[in-house]
Amino acid sequence: MPEFAIGDTDFLLDGKPFRILSGALHYFRVHPAQWADRIEKARLMGLNTIETYVPWNAHSPEPGRFDCTGGLDLDRFLRQIADAGMHAIVRPGPYICAEWDNGGLPAWLLRDPELRVRQREPRYLAAVREYLDNVYRIVAPHQIGRGGPVILVQVENEYGAYGKDKEYLAELVRHTRAAGITVPLTTVDQPTPEMLENGGLDGVHRTASFGSNSAERLETLRAHQPTGPLMCSEFWNGWFDHWGAHHHTTPVEQAAADLDALLAAGASVNLYMFHGGTNFGLTNGANDKGVYQPLVTSYDYDAPLDEAGHATEKYYAFRDVISRHCKVPDAVPAPAVPAPALRAPLRDPVWLLEEPARWGIWRAHDRLPTFDELTPAPRLALLRGQIPGTEPGILAFGEVRDRATVFLDGVLVGTLLREHHDRAVPLPGGGELLVLVEDLGRVNYGPRIGEPKGIIGGAEFDGRPLSGWEVLPIDLDGVPGLFGEPGGIPADGPLAGPVAVRAEFEAEEPADLFLDTGDWGKGMAWVNGFLLGRYWRRGPQRTLYVPGPVVRAGRNELVVLELDTLLRPEAKFVPEPSLGHTEA
């Protein structure tokens, strides 16, 4: 069987120097029917390796469960990498960041108030061991020494930016080895002396993450990794977007020049990202460094392959750079063609506030619980209470995480946003209070990982605590099933949410689509029961990507849950994506 090792100056494949030319491709951000296509396009660009994170919270949405079906079939993904003649790098965390909800850590983990993540704390480590055992049962048979593609496994992820618990890192290494992982292990940190020192562990190969000034960053890495191959295991060739900002792009020429400098220095590389894909469903993360910034649904990342898997200008520039250092295949990907342009009216409105019991089950609570005190923790919930008396006053919450729309006797009073640090709204008097609360994505980086969601610290009216609440977690999986027979009531004119509407559209054949949401407000959209993700008029993202395998030849159904105001009750699919304005 082949052997992969770390030599004095190089990675060694069967004893011969081997340069890793890798691209990040997250299986959980790509429809599984499209994995082979994306892997093949990586090979055609000149890459020899595919790297992926493993998202703990996606595989384990509840304790004791490890889901590997559909888009979470890591075994199938690794087999497809091997079928393409490529190698693989696996990064199971347990923390992954990745601009992914909660950095990949399950929300249920933090229900134990004594548990401390990312350190040598017994309850956390017990959960981590169970998770890693599940991952390594899949990964171990795919190691190169057993005829598979896996050549490296990473321990933790940019740990030096978070902590410096060497015993914690050592325990992860020990358990990884005990679980049958024999390939070389790595760590990754940003190339500063403090981070490389805190996040590294003697005996585990250090790598760095950066996107510019390659020679300088490699010099810093070499000071902390005196022997062995140099590797940038996250070469940031793009960036991510958050709601309310611009679409991030990086100059193609500069990114190519930095990659050329890295390869000219003899280093190995993993492009982050080669293909970003999509935060399907409600899987986007968020940042909070004083201001909460949830990420958009697209994870295009201005990568060599765009969100729909098409080769970009950056793809060909990187391919040219790689060709200067090693041979690349002669073939190139087929050019992109415009997606079908389709239109269909939205109809059959189902109003949340008119009949909320169709959307979930009410539960009584004396005090207002956080989302994390509910099982499972919802992403969207309706809260119902009573404001006493008839006099006007101020409704105040301890903290809103992350968006709360307030209704009094069915009339909209206001919307509170976490990023604005909103937590209070005036009420004209007493009556039935309804509050629709949305979790916009859990923080994925820094000390706020693992914080609870929903309303934190309860509610008061004019300084007096409110009790006697009912909570209805919205069954989002059930939203597409709210409707009766198709072809009912047209939705004429603008609509004020919360309301679900649907449209039927015809497709000649399965094909990628781009759903234009520019005339809608804020909400979520499903095609044939597949949750595409969130949309929001504030942008920058204007279109939602619909993967071709979700679309059927013939009749298809679109369901939209509008939480704000929908200006034009029409579904419109456009030929090209629109991810928003850039700084240029």
Side-chain angles (χ1 to χ4, degrees):
M1 287 295 179
E3 181 183 1
F4 191 81
I6 295 176
D8 291 337
T9 57
D10 300 284
F11 291 111
L12 302 175
L13 180 59
D14 290 336
K16 298 178 181 178
F18 179 83
R19 189 207 297 261
I20 296 173
L21 299 171
S22 176
L25 172 58
H26 300 156
Y27 60 98
F28 46 93
R29 281 183 160 128
V30 180
H31 193 283
Q34 297 172 325
W35 289 344
D37 172 78
R38 304 327 190 229
I39 293 167
E40 173 63 8
K41 287 172 178 171
R43 188 188 71 82
L44 293 180
M45 199 177 81
L47 302 182
N48 56 32
T49 304
I50 297 293
E51 173 270 313
T52 187
Y53 282 125
V54 179
W56 184 1
N57 55 2
H59 285 280
S60 298
E62 56 192 46
R65 177 182 170 193
F66 195 77
D67 182 9
C68 290
T69 60
L72 296 174
D73 192 345
L74 177 58
D75 177 75
R76 177 187 172 193
F77 183 67
L78 293 174
R79 281 189 278 112
Q80 291 193 358
I81 293 172
D83 290 344
M86 300 186 74
H87 302 291
I89 299 171
V90 179
R91 303 205 286 169
Y95 163 78
I96 63 172
C97 184
E99 291 74 59
W100 186 257
D101 187 61
N102 216 36
L105 298 176
W108 52 259
L109 201 64
L110 280 301
R111 288 201 181 108
D112 182 347
E114 303 300 319
L115 184 143
R116 297 291 179 266
V117 301
R118 305 186 74 188
Q119 57 186 275
R120 196 169 181 269
E121 192 276 319
R123 283 158 294 193
Y124 174 65
L125 282 178
V128 167
R129 292 186 191 104
E130 180 181 352
Y131 159 65
L132 290 179
D133 284 343
N134 284 319
V135 174
Y136 292 146
R137 269 194 288 271
I138 297 169
V139 173
H142 289 285
Q143 294 177 101
I144 191 168
R146 298 171 66 173
V150 177
I151 56 175
L152 292 175
V153 169
Q154 184 180 289
V155 176
E156 249 280 355
N157 188 58
E158 290 192 330
Y159 186 65
Y162 182 86
K164 54 183 179 181
D165 187 342
K166 300 290 187 180
E167 291 185 352
Y168 165 61
L169 293 177
E171 175 57 23
L172 293 184
V173 170
R174 187 203 67 77
H175 194 76
T176 296
R177 292 301 190 203
I181 300 302
T182 58
V183 296
L185 305 181
T186 63
T187 58
V188 61
D189 285 286
Q190 297 173 46
T192 70
E194 182 181 19
M195 290 187 188
L196 285 167
E197 176 56 36
N198 291 343
L201 189 68
D202 291 343
V204 178
H205 195 70
R206 287 177 171 89
T207 70
S209 55
F210 55 86
S212 60
N213 300 323
S214 296
E216 176 186 338
R217 269 63 186 273
L218 289 174
E219 183 178 351
T220 303
L221 174 61
R222 178 54 81 200
H224 292 266
Q225 183 59 59
T227 64
L230 292 170
M231 182 172 183
C232 176
S233 57
E234 281 193 23
F235 179 73
W236 303 326
N237 50 256
W239 208 245
F240 51 86
D241 297 342
H242 64 264
W243 294 112
H246 63 278
H247 172 49
H248 291 78
T249 59
T250 57
V252 173
E253 298 80 5
Q254 185 59 54
D258 281 311
L259 176 61
D260 196 23
L262 196 157
L263 297 181
S268 288
V269 66
N270 175 55
L271 305 176
Y272 194 98
M273 299 288 296
F274 166 69
H275 172 50
T278 309
N279 295 314
F280 291 122
L282 307 178
T283 55
N284 64 280
N287 285 304
D288 191 334
K289 298 178 181 179
V291 176
Y292 175 74
Q293 297 176 320
L295 273 73
V296 303
T297 296
S298 172
Y299 200 65
D300 177 86
Y301 213 87
D302 193 32
L305 282 193
D306 68 14
E307 183 180 12
H310 300 140
T312 65
E313 183 183 353
K314 191 173 288 182
Y315 179 98
Y316 291 103
F318 281 13
R319 188 175 186 274
D320 183 60
V321 167
I322 293 169
S323 71
R324 299 173 206 163
H325 301 274
C326 64
K327 182 174 174 54
V328 301
D330 294 331
V332 296
V337 297
L342 306 169
R343 290 175 182 261
L346 292 169
R347 54 178 66 241
D348 303 329
V350 180
W351 308 94
L352 169 60
L353 301 191
E354 284 187 0
E355 202 173 352
R358 291 182 60 190
W359 298 65
I361 299 174
W362 288 107
R363 300 285 187 229
H365 299 266
D366 182 53
R367 62 175 184 82
L368 193 55
T370 68
F371 279 9
D372 294 74
E373 291 174 311
L374 307 173
T375 305
R379 294 307 186 102
L380 187 68
L382 190 62
L383 320 177
R384 183 163 65 189
Q386 193 69 30
I387 300 297
T390 59
E391 296 299 314
I394 301 296
L395 172 69
F397 301 107
E399 185 180 349
V400 174
R401 297 182 187 161
D402 303 303
R403 185 176 188 267
T405 306
V406 181
F407 302 86
L408 187 68
D409 290 334
V411 177
L412 175 65
V413 175
T415 297
L416 308 177
L417 280 176
R418 171 179 176 174
E419 67 182 270
H420 295 163
H421 305 285
D422 294 332
R423 66 185 194 93
V425 63
L427 299 182
E432 183 185 66
L433 178 69
L434 290 171
V435 185
L436 185 62
V437 182
E438 182 182 4
D439 164 11
L440 291 174
R442 293 177 185 260
V443 173
N444 55 257
Y445 185 85
R448 302 196 73 147
I449 295 168
E451 64 184 7
K453 285 290 189 176
I455 299 297
I456 314 301
E460 296 180 343
F461 182 66
D462 271 358
R464 296 184 296 275
L466 292 174
S467 59
W469 290 90
E470 291 180 286
V471 177
L472 186 146
I474 304 298
D475 177 14
L476 292 173
D477 290 338
V479 170
L482 287 172
F483 304 90
E485 291 299 317
I489 305 169
D492 295 326
L495 297 176
V499 60
V501 286
R502 67 172 167 185
E504 290 190 331
F505 64 93
E506 296 284 333
E508 291 185 4
E509 60 183 1
D512 288 352
L513 300 175
F514 299 102
L515 176 63
D516 188 340
T517 64
D519 290 328
W520 303 348
K522 186 189 189 309
M524 308 160 194
W526 292 255
V527 168
N528 295 329
F530 181 86
L531 179 52
L532 303 175
R534 311 175 200 263
Y535 63 86
W536 202 347
R537 185 181 295 124
R538 68 188 308 194
Q541 180 176 358
R542 181 187 171 102
T543 55
L544 288 176
Y545 171 60
V546 185
V550 170
V551 180
R552 298 189 287 254
R555 182 168 294 183
N556 294 266
E557 183 180 61
L558 168 71
V559 170
V560 176
L561 172 57
E562 175 60 60
L563 303 177
D564 198 319
T565 53
L566 193 151
L567 297 178
R568 188 185 300 274
E570 180 185 45
K572 182 168 61 174
F573 298 93
V574 293
E576 305 289 343
S578 175
L579 298 181
H581 65 283
T582 65
E583 285 187 311

